[in-house]
Amino acid sequence: MKFIPISKPSITQKEIDYVTDAVKSGWVSSFGKYLEEFEDVFAHFCNTGYALTVMNGTCALHLALAVYDIKEGDEVIVPDLTFIATANAVRYAGANVVIVDIERDTLCIDPDKIERAITKNTKAIIPVHLYGHPANMVEIMSIAKKHNIVVIEDAAEAHGAEVNGIKVGSIGDCGVFSFYGNKIITTGEGGMITTNDKDFYEKAIYLRDHAMSKSKRYWHTQIGYNYRMTNLQAALGVVQLERINEFLAKRKLVFELYKKYMSSSLNIRLNQTSQWAKNVYWMICIEIEGYNEIQRDALIIKLKEKGIDSRPYFYPVSDMPMYAKANTTDTPVTPVTHEIYCKGINLPTYFDITEDEIKYICQILMEILGNV
Ligand SMILES: *Cc1c(COP(=O)(O)O)cnc(C)c1O
């Protein structure tokens, strides 16, 4: 039986040629023409003044927090439904994680619930553009401006997504991206920070390379990091970014096909898209009305028996032992996150998936759910 993975990168001869060229050039480490080119084209793609490569998306988050000098005693607001890296980066910086609930439709942080989480210690908000749908940046930016808080967009899952026609990564004070193997474009492991702020950019370059003095080699005035990307990864990234519009068009088609073949079922909810948003469908999301965690896990196993890979939604960050203090009562402080996470799974979403495979996945799903 053929196995349909949840995700798979698309690697063509051109990626192989560029990486081979990078290897042969001898520039295999953190200098080289592909790094410069990747940063240039990525900034252009996001319509930002600057873009800075880093080792991965988690480093990108941590570096951004470090540039803003966010530290112990500070608070950073994150959504409850996200990949754990968003919260962990805040802890790496030594600051406290303040968890806010999500919106039902976008699955992103709920702007209406942000303001009551703000205290005199709040330094930043990290909205996450979850599963390819942008967060409500218009409202988030206006709240941030009012309270003089920086906004770091976690766009790790949303390369090319837009809010009212404006690319994510260019709306907040800075944006962070991931190029992990299952993301919209990949460099194996990799990340990027985008910004229009020259001072931020220069400080990020400095901290990325051990905070070494520009004028005095091996002189350091603060503790920096080695968060540099390699030229090999950048070579892969350059080609992937050239192909991004092709990738995004296919992801939209994949969504349309799932919608087409799933239309007979009433109790499955597919990705929703706000009218102001361009969704890039990092992952097809389905939520099954009335499901709990046990039923959901059983569904994932049944799909796997039929050769179909799937994955559960992220668990609420506030349920993790390290962050659990937010939910000590029976009523979760994040009711929407807690209502939704256990109903949701992601289905195979990638460039090379075929219409027949999507049709098969939907048929099996209907059989399992008894809607044949
Ligand atoms: C993938 C991801 C990250 C982390 O990126 P890595 O490159 O894996 O470190 C951060 N935030 C979100 C929302 C992600 O999906």
Side-chain angles (χ1 to χ4, degrees), residues 19 21-35 230-233 235:
V19 176
D21 180 59
V23 176
K24 284 185 175 165
S25 76
W27 295 100
V28 294
S29 210
S30 49
F31 286 99
K33 67 173 187 189
Y34 290 113
L35 283 162
T230 68
N231 197 45
L232 305 182
Q233 290 164 288

Side-chain angles (χ1 to χ4, degrees), residues 11-224:
I11 305 294
T12 62
Q13 189 58 43
K14 193 161 185 187
E15 277 88 349
I16 295 167
D17 290 344
Y18 274 49
V19 176
T20 305
D21 180 59
V23 176
K24 284 185 175 165
S25 76
W27 295 100
V28 294
S29 210
S30 49
F31 286 99
K33 67 173 187 189
Y34 290 113
L35 283 162
E36 283 170 37
E37 187 179 346
F38 190 32
E39 290 179 345
D40 279 357
V41 288
F42 201 86
H44 186 255
F45 174 74
C46 290
N47 207 10
T48 55
Y50 311 94
L52 183 89
T53 49
V54 287
M55 271 187 342
N56 58 54
T58 310
C59 290
L61 285 164
H62 180 213
L63 191 61
L65 292 159
V67 172
Y68 292 122
D69 198 26
I70 287 167
K71 52 183 180 299
E72 205 179 328
D74 295 336
E75 290 173 5
V76 177
I77 293 175
V78 305
D80 203 11
L81 196 69
T82 182
F83 180 55
I84 198 66
T86 316
N88 285 353
V90 174
R91 295 296 300 139
Y92 300 165
N96 289 326
V97 174
V98 176
I99 293 166
V100 168
D101 207 359
I102 57 162
E103 294 179 309
R104 179 71 191 89
D105 285 343
T106 64
L107 302 181
C108 299
I109 195 164
D110 186 344
D112 292 340
K113 295 178 180 171
I114 289 178
E115 211 147 18
R116 72 181 87 139
I118 293 174
T119 73
K120 63 178 192 330
N121 297 321
T122 309
K123 292 285 154 55
I125 306 171
I126 312 183
V128 179
H129 308 309
L130 203 74
Y131 300 128
H133 191 294
N136 188 339
M137 291 304 292
V138 174
E139 288 190 38
I140 293 166
M141 291 313 290
S142 101
I143 295 166
K145 214 159 260 156
K146 186 171 146 198
H147 295 272
N148 198 23
I149 297 168
V150 298
V151 175
I152 300 167
E153 291 179 69
D154 184 340
E157 305 178 356
H159 319 56
E162 293 173 8
V163 175
N164 294 321
I166 299 170
K167 286 253 168 47
V168 300
S170 72
I171 308 167
D173 296 274
C174 67
V176 309
F177 292 84
S178 166
F179 308 119
Y180 183 65
N182 67 6
K183 299 291 162 84
I184 287 175
I185 62 170
T186 187
T187 62
E189 295 272 2
M192 189 81 82
I193 308 182
T194 52
T195 188
N196 285 312
D197 178 345
K198 188 161 189 277
D199 293 338
F200 173 96
Y201 173 67
E202 282 173 356
K203 188 159 179 214
I205 291 180
Y206 169 72
L207 288 180
R208 180 180 66 176
D209 188 19
H210 290 296
M212 182 149 68
S213 163
K214 251 187 183 169
S215 51
K216 196 169 162 185
R217 205 162 179 203
Y218 301 120
W219 181 253
H220 311 265
T221 51
Q222 85 185 82
I223 295 173

